[in-house]
Amino acid sequence: MRPWIDTHLHLLYPQRLDYDWTRSLPVLDRAFPLEEYACTAQPLGICQALHMEVDVRVQQMEAETELIGDLARQPGSMIAGAISSCRPEQDEIGDFLERTLSNPLIHGFRRVLHVVPDHVSTGDIFRRNVRALTRKGHPFDVCVLARQLPLADALARACPESQFVLDHCGVPAVARQVLTPWKEDIARLASNPNMACKISGLIAYGDANRWPDGDVASVARDLRPYFDHVLDCFGWDRVVWGSDFPVCNLTRGLATWKAATDMLLAGCSGAQVDALAHGNARRIYRLADQA
């Protein structure tokens, strides 16, 4: 079975951390431990995962990293590393910067940008700190809504030495099957050589009422225009794959998302699939080969 690396795993441990944003989403407002994820992911061929920060309260950012470190050290753990939360808009992040850059668990950083005013990512302090966070090769994941794609483009152009990864294909309106201006904005964003794209989250943005239970073909049909356009724009060497577990459960879940991905990749070469499945993730996030 081809190995897959999941570059976008969320784990929820509400007994240890606060996830304020899940309270309005009953499907997600509970614990989602590593054991539950592994039971679904491993039979699908997913062998390693990067934990993506879950937008905990700012004072708990490093506690989240400690928790994921504990999980990563468990025998046979699927966790290959973590993408840490950060607050580049804060003027002084020196102590945080030095601690996190020296932590071998951390393979990247993210600041969710659709929960703050648009001007946050355009400030000089924010951009200066992004350059500092990425100076040792750590990628910076960009999580924006479709209307904010021009902000991602501006950030990539302002920090040309930094490696960026666009999360969730820029959150297109899959449920409404809207492509414009998302298509044009994705093409412009992909013109930045320092921007890669994470094919994740797409299933969470669809309309589950259009997808009969067990009908993976209907899911793949709705996702196809977005999936293909991202590959056309970024090419096979600048895309990675992510589950967005457990957010994918808002519609049809991890197993259906992986099955839809496989269907969308039918007819592609083995080298192309390998690049998306694990090769690009190892290079961009600087992950060691699994022993």
Side-chain angles (χ1 to χ4, degrees):
M1 181 180 288
R2 171 179 283 107
W4 284 74
I5 296 176
D6 181 356
T7 65
H8 208 97
L9 163 65
H10 299 298
L11 297 174
L12 303 180
Y13 287 82
Q15 71 274 25
R16 292 184 59 175
L17 299 168
D18 294 297
Y19 309 99
D20 297 328
W21 61 275
T22 65
R23 292 174 184 168
S24 62
L25 299 168
V27 172
L28 302 180
D29 194 21
R30 65 171 180 85
F32 284 92
L34 177 59
E35 293 80 8
E36 179 177 342
Y37 167 76
C39 284
T40 301
Q42 288 177 327
L44 301 175
I46 299 171
C47 61
Q48 290 179 292
L50 275 172
H51 182 266
M52 172 57 74
E53 62 91 13
V54 198
D55 202 23
V56 297
R57 296 175 183 176
V58 63
Q59 63 269 26
Q60 295 180 337
M61 291 191 305
E62 292 184 77
E64 180 180 52
T65 297
E66 292 174 8
L67 168 61
I68 300 308
D70 291 343
L71 296 172
R73 287 186 288 272
Q74 292 180 355
S77 177
M78 296 179 67
I79 296 178
I83 299 170
S84 171
S85 182
C86 61
R87 294 295 184 271
E89 67 270 25
Q90 296 180 347
D91 193 15
E92 296 296 333
I93 65 165
D95 291 343
F96 171 84
L97 183 70
E98 295 309 314
R99 286 193 299 271
T100 52
L101 287 182
S102 63
N103 186 342
L105 176 75
I106 295 175
H107 288 258
F109 295 93
R110 182 173 81 155
R111 172 60 162 129
V112 178
L113 293 176
H114 60 75
V115 298
V116 296
D118 286 356
H119 66 78
V120 168
S121 68
T122 68
D124 291 340
I125 292 172
F126 188 97
R127 292 175 175 185
R128 180 193 71 204
N129 285 332
V130 165
R131 295 184 194 107
L133 289 163
T134 58
R135 70 173 187 246
K136 292 188 176 181
H138 293 70
F140 190 90
D141 272 57
V142 180
C143 191
V144 293
L145 301 176
R147 68 167 183 81
Q148 296 174 307
L149 285 171
L151 294 175
D153 179 61
L155 182 60
R157 294 180 190 277
C159 305
E161 303 303 317
S162 301
Q163 174 66 61
F164 294 95
V165 180
L166 175 69
D167 289 350
H168 311 323
C169 301
V171 191
V174 177
R176 296 185 290 117
Q177 292 289 283
V178 174
L179 289 166
T180 300
W182 174 85
K183 285 185 69 173
E184 294 78 9
D185 289 339
I186 285 290
R188 185 177 303 109
L189 187 61
S191 69
N192 296 289
N194 59 332
M195 181 67 71
C197 185
K198 186 176 293 185
I199 299 180
S200 60
L202 287 177
I203 195 169
Y205 306 125
D207 180 359
N209 293 323
R210 292 166 51 92
W211 303 335
D213 286 343
D215 184 1
V216 177
S218 64
V219 179
R221 182 180 61 247
D222 279 2
L223 304 186
R224 171 71 71 184
Y226 307 96
F227 187 92
D228 286 353
H229 183 64
V230 163
L231 286 170
D232 287 343
C233 291
F234 284 92
W236 288 96
D237 61 343
R238 287 195 291 152
V239 288
V240 295
W241 185 86
S243 70
D244 200 19
F245 177 92
V247 180
C248 56
N249 292 346
L250 290 173
T251 56
R252 283 290 182 266
L254 174 53
T256 299
W257 168 225
K258 178 58 168 55
T261 301
D262 292 339
M263 187 170 290
L264 291 164
L265 290 169
C268 297
S269 72
Q272 290 170 331
V273 179
D274 283 342
L276 175 63
H278 56 85
N280 296 336
R282 293 197 193 284
R283 186 188 76 253
I284 292 172
Y285 288 106
R286 301 183 303 167
L287 299 173
D289 289 339
Q290 192 176 37

